[in-house]
Amino acid sequence: DTGVSQDPRHKITKRGQNVTFRCDPISEHNRLYWYRQTLGQGPEFLTYFQNEAQLEKSRLLSDRFSAERPKGSFSTLEIQRTEQGDSAMYLCASIPLGGGQIYEQYFGPGTRLTVT
Amino acid sequence: DQQVKQNSPSLSVQEGRISILNCDYTNSMFDYFLWYKKYPAEGPTFLISISSIKDKNEDGRFTVFLNKSAKHLSLHIVPSQPGDSAVYFCAASPSSGTYKYIFGTGTRLKVLA
């Protein structure tokens, strides 16, 4: 297993366009997280899934953002009608089955989004 | 409202000396704390963690200290090595109700050879 992968690694889009990112967690990791990171800031929680259920979503996440994990394996994050303020690194992380709060998250390399 | 704060954006330390990175939090419900290291163009990687029932956890060159009354934790790296140069994030999570993590803004450590 090569770890958490994210695709694409970089995305440049024009304002108003829709974008979709994919995250493939480590096999059998049942909990999956999405974060957004901007320059000079730490990862900011967006949402997380336990298997296919989306259990929590940040209040900062507008209606333009939606995430899915239909079969409890890979996940997608879609941003509709992108705005320049959406430019950021989008990180995905996963935790193994049975992992509690103290368990480490395994992060992917991120998708860097630039909205022009 | 920044619930987890790392007030030093950067730190420079001579190779072989001790690096001390600090983290403060405001939410008394936080019970689990983790430190991550991040190199450019990579995702964060886990370093060390501590739960609130302990005040110290050690793993090789890395030690985390927790002062729950002061809502403060610190990461000590001894001895510091040039490969430790990275951005360090602390993260916190409450013991119940959510598996959500709150990250600090990070401290960029530079270890000088």
Side-chain angles (χ1 to χ4, degrees):
Chain A
D1 201 335
T2 56
V4 179
S5 62
Q6 293 188 245
D7 183 69
R9 294 291 306 274
H10 303 274
K11 178 72 177 178
I12 300 174
T13 191
K14 292 186 177 179
R15 189 178 53 179
Q17 298 294 304
N18 299 345
V19 294
T20 300
F21 310 141
R22 177 180 170 123
C23 171
D24 286 88
I26 295 171
S27 296
E28 298 183 0
H29 277 200
N30 70 331
R31 215 177 303 148
L32 185 149
Y33 293 75
W34 284 100
Y35 292 90
R36 177 172 63 190
Q37 186 178 15
T38 53
L39 196 63
Q41 299 297 314
E44 177 185 31
F45 170 81
L46 292 178
T47 188
Y48 83 89
F49 293 83
Q50 182 146 310
N51 300 313
E52 63 274 7
Q54 188 174 18
L55 294 188
E56 192 166 347
K57 188 174 173 179
S58 169
R59 288 173 294 172
L60 301 172
L61 217 60
S62 74
D63 291 342
R64 297 184 297 106
F65 288 72
S66 62
E68 292 183 345
R69 195 182 182 198
K71 296 182 181 178
S73 56
F74 74 91
S75 176
T76 58
L77 177 69
E78 181 184 17
I79 309 174
Q80 296 183 325
R81 304 180 305 281
T82 52
E83 302 172 355
Q84 287 188 320
D86 297 330
S87 296
M89 177 73 82
Y90 290 84
L91 293 163
C92 175
S94 66
I95 294 181
L97 183 67
Q101 268 95 339
I102 203 66
Y103 214 92
E104 63 189 273
Q105 292 183 305
Y106 293 79
F107 280 86
T111 294
R112 180 166 295 283
L113 173 66
T114 302
V115 182
T116 62
Chain B
D1 176 29
Q2 190 70 34
Q3 297 185 67
V4 178
K5 301 176 186 177
Q6 294 177 257
N7 292 318
S8 298
S10 64
L11 174 68
S12 290
V13 171
Q14 207 66 35
E15 181 179 7
R17 306 295 291 269
I18 184 170
S19 295
I20 300 176
L21 295 95
N22 294 305
C23 179
D24 297 290
Y25 61 97
T26 56
N27 189 338
S28 58
M29 300 299 290
F30 288 151
D31 275 330
Y32 299 99
F33 305 90
L34 305 92
W35 283 93
Y36 288 84
K37 177 169 73 174
K38 187 180 184 304
Y39 293 118
E42 295 182 12
T45 54
F46 172 76
L47 266 180
I48 192 169
S49 61
I50 191 167
S51 71
S52 60
I53 61 173
K54 293 186 169 185
D55 55 15
K56 177 182 174 181
N57 189 26
E58 198 169 353
D59 184 2
R61 297 186 298 114
F62 302 92
T63 303
V64 56
F65 295 92
L66 175 63
N67 182 334
K68 202 173 179 189
S69 61
K71 295 192 181 67
H72 176 83
L73 63 155
S74 60
L75 174 69
H76 292 210
I77 306 173
V78 182
S80 300
Q81 299 173 354
D84 296 330
S85 298
V87 178
Y88 289 78
F89 295 100
C90 64
S93 182
S95 58
S96 64
T98 178
Y99 286 107
K100 175 176 156 181
Y101 295 80
I102 305 297
F103 280 77
T105 52
T107 296
R108 183 177 300 277
L109 173 66
K110 189 170 184 180
V111 180
L112 307 169

